[in-house]
Amino acid sequence: DVSISVENTGKPVNGKFLEASPYLDKDGTMYFSTIRSEEVIVLDDKAEGYYSQIYSASPEDNERSRYDWKDPVALGENINRVDYHTSNVSLSPDGSRMFFTRTVLKGNEITESKAYLSERTGSGWGAAQELEGVNGEYIVRHPVAGELFGNEVIFFSSNMEGGKGGYDLYYSTLESGAKYSLPTNLGDEINSIGDEITPFYQAGVLYFSSEGLPTMGGYDIFYSNWNGSGWSEPENMGLTINTTYDDIYYSLNTDGTEGFLVSNRPGTTTRSVGSKTCCDDIWSVKKRDIIIDVIATVVDEEGNDLTESSGEMFDLSAGGKQLAEESSGETNTMTFQLDADNAYKIVVKKDGYYPAETEINTVGKMDDHTYNKKFVLKKKEDE
C-alpha cells in the first residue's frame, strides 16, 4: 500500500514559460529543459532568440529536498546548440550517458527533431552524438534508455510511417556506442490512434502518456508491465498522478520512491496561450509505504497488565485465513501490521483466561494509522 503526493516544485525551477522532461541523477541533480524568459512568449516566427535549453539544478540542502532547488544552470554548448530547441533530456540508469533531442520549429510546428547522446567525462558532458539507426526522415522525441529481451534499448516517440496514428512509441536495440538497430513499434498493446509520448522505463515497467487511451482529460500517464515477451494492457495511474489536464513526463529515482511529472493542472506558475500543454510546470512526486498497525494492550478485569499473552490475526477478506501470531513476552503489548482495504479479526489469549477478540476494517485508509486496542481478559473460574 503506497501513499502518493504531488506538489508543485516551485521556483526557481518553474518559471513563466513551460518546463519539460525533468530527470533525476543519482547524486540528486535534476536535469530539465525550459525557455528562460521574464515574460510568457508564444513560439512563432517572431520569437527569434528564444530557444529551449537543458538546465541542471542542485538540491538546496544536504538532505536533497525535492522541493527546494538552487538556481538552474544551462548546460554547455556541447549540449545546447544555437538555433535549436534542446529538450527531452534523460539519463542512462548508471548516469554515464545523457539522451536528448534537438528540434527545429516552424511557428508551432515541429519540422525536425533528432535524438542524441552525450557521454559523461571528468570535465562534464562530452560532444553530442546523433543516434544512428534511430533518427530518420521523421520526428523523434523523448528518448529514454531501457531494457528488452536482455538487451539495452532506447524507447522514444515518433510519427514515422506505419504507426497506429499520431505519435507512437518505438524501441531500438543498442548495438555499440551511438549505433542502434532500426526502430520497432511497441505494438497495439501500447499504441493507440492518438498520441503516445514521454516514455519512462524502470524495472520491467513502461510508463508513458497517452491521449488516445481512455483518460480523465488531455494526456494521462499509464503504465504497462513487460513479462519477457509482451506488454500487459496499459493501466491508468489514477487520480493524484492524473488530472483532467495534461499529465506527461513521469519519471522516478532509482528506488522508485520519488520523481517528477509535468502538468498544466491548476497550481502552475503561469497559465497562458502557446502550445497545447502551455504552460507546463514540473511537479514533484513522492511515494511511500502506508503504515497501518494495531497495538494490542492486554489487561485483566481490574486493569492489571497481563504478560505472556498471545495473539492471532485473521484475514476476514480471505475466509478467515490466519495471517500472523504474536506473543507479548514479558510485556503486555503486541503489534500487528495491516494492509489497506482489508478486514481483520484479532484474537488474544492467555492461559487461565477466556480469550477476547476485535474486528478491524482498513477500507479507505490512505495515510498512516495506528489502532490502539485494549483487550480485557476475564479469568477462568477454578475447576
Side-chain angles (χ1 to χ4, degrees):
D1 300 303
V2 176
S3 172
I4 300 175
S5 63
V6 178
E7 182 174 331
N8 192 294
T9 304
K11 296 181 178 179
V13 170
N14 290 321
K16 295 184 177 181
F17 204 65
L18 62 86
E19 285 74 38
S21 62
Y23 217 92
L24 200 61
D25 201 354
K26 292 190 300 182
D27 66 357
T29 300
M30 184 208 308
Y31 292 89
F32 67 101
S33 62
T34 187
I35 296 176
R36 278 296 189 240
S37 171
E38 291 302 314
E39 299 179 358
V40 174
I41 60 175
V42 177
L43 289 179
D44 56 25
D45 293 335
K46 300 178 182 178
E48 293 183 4
Y50 291 102
Y51 294 98
S52 174
Q53 293 186 311
I54 295 174
Y55 288 75
S56 66
S58 300
E60 187 64 55
D61 54 50
N62 291 331
E63 295 181 359
R64 299 212 294 260
S65 168
R66 303 304 183 230
Y67 300 147
D68 297 303
W69 299 91
K70 297 179 181 178
D71 287 337
V73 177
L75 301 189
E77 59 183 13
N78 279 350
I79 306 297
N80 293 316
R81 185 175 175 182
V82 176
D83 295 338
Y84 284 84
H85 292 279
T86 310
S87 184
N88 298 316
V89 59
S90 69
L91 300 178
S92 60
D94 64 2
S96 66
R97 288 168 296 159
M98 174 184 291
F99 300 93
F100 57 95
T101 58
R102 287 174 176 167
T103 301
V104 176
L105 293 181
K106 183 70 172 179
N108 286 325
E109 296 297 321
I110 298 175
T111 59
E112 177 186 319
S113 183
K114 297 184 183 296
Y116 294 80
L117 74 79
S118 171
E119 297 188 31
R120 194 193 295 267
T121 69
S123 58
W125 293 103
Q129 306 172 64
E130 187 175 335
L131 297 191
E132 182 182 348
V134 172
N135 295 317
E137 297 302 315
Y138 41 77
I139 303 301
V140 172
R141 304 163 70 191
H142 317 134
V144 63
E147 181 180 339
L148 287 180
F149 304 108
N151 298 311
E152 182 178 330
V153 302
I154 195 84
F155 293 103
F156 60 95
S157 179
S158 178
N159 66 347
M160 70 179 67
E161 292 184 5
K164 291 205 64 176
Y167 283 89
D168 278 6
L169 297 186
Y170 293 80
Y171 79 90
S172 292
T173 303
L174 175 64
E175 295 181 350
S176 63
K179 185 178 180 180
Y180 288 79
S181 67
L182 294 178
T184 299
N185 191 291
L186 289 187
D188 294 348
E189 295 88 350
I190 299 296
N191 292 310
S192 71
I193 59 173
D195 289 344
E196 277 70 46
I197 60 173
T198 63
F200 171 75
Y201 178 90
Q202 185 176 81
V205 183
L206 180 69
Y207 303 88
F208 63 97
S209 290
S210 174
E211 63 170 1
L213 298 173
T215 74
M216 300 177 186
Y219 285 102
D220 272 7
I221 298 166
F222 293 79
Y223 71 93
S224 175
N225 295 298
W226 174 253
N227 65 11
S229 60
W231 299 101
S232 65
E233 181 178 353
E235 293 192 38
N236 191 300
M237 294 196 70
L239 285 171
T240 304
I241 293 296
N242 289 314
T243 64
T244 57
Y245 295 80
D246 289 320
D247 305 292
I248 55 180
Y249 286 114
Y250 184 76
S251 65
L252 295 169
N253 64 354
T254 53
D255 62 12
T257 58
E258 54 190 341
F260 303 104
L261 60 82
V262 169
S263 180
N264 61 352
R265 65 184 65 186
T268 54
T269 52
T270 304
R271 294 299 304 282
S272 182
V273 297
S275 65
K276 183 175 182 179
T277 60
C278 187
C279 286
D280 298 331
D281 271 2
I282 295 171
W283 296 72
S284 296
V285 176
K286 286 195 173 183
K287 301 168 66 176
R288 65 176 181 83
D289 292 334
I290 298 173
I291 300 174
I292 305 175
D293 57 13
V294 177
I295 297 177
T297 304
V298 189
V299 297
D300 64 16
E301 291 182 284
E302 284 72 42
N304 299 311
D305 295 349
L306 290 179
T307 62
E308 304 297 340
S309 58
S310 63
E312 297 173 305
M313 183 171 69
F314 302 90
D315 187 349
L316 298 181
S317 302
K321 175 183 177 182
Q322 182 175 330
L323 296 176
E325 185 172 3
E326 300 290 340
S327 174
S328 67
E330 297 180 357
T331 71
N332 73 321
T333 61
M334 293 171 282
T335 301
F336 297 88
Q337 301 296 324
L338 311 182
D339 291 328
D341 297 322
N342 214 337
Y344 300 90
K345 180 171 74 174
I346 295 176
V347 180
V348 172
K349 303 176 182 179
K350 179 176 171 61
D351 290 342
Y353 291 80
Y354 293 105
E357 64 182 52
T358 189
E359 294 185 4
I360 297 172
N361 194 315
T362 62
V363 172
K365 288 294 181 185
M366 300 297 292
D367 294 301
D368 294 350
H369 188 80
T370 296
Y371 295 89
N372 288 289
K373 296 291 184 180
K374 180 179 286 187
F375 291 81
V376 180
L377 304 189
K378 182 179 179 180
K379 190 173 180 63
K380 292 180 179 181
E381 298 290 339
D382 292 335
E383 298 180 358

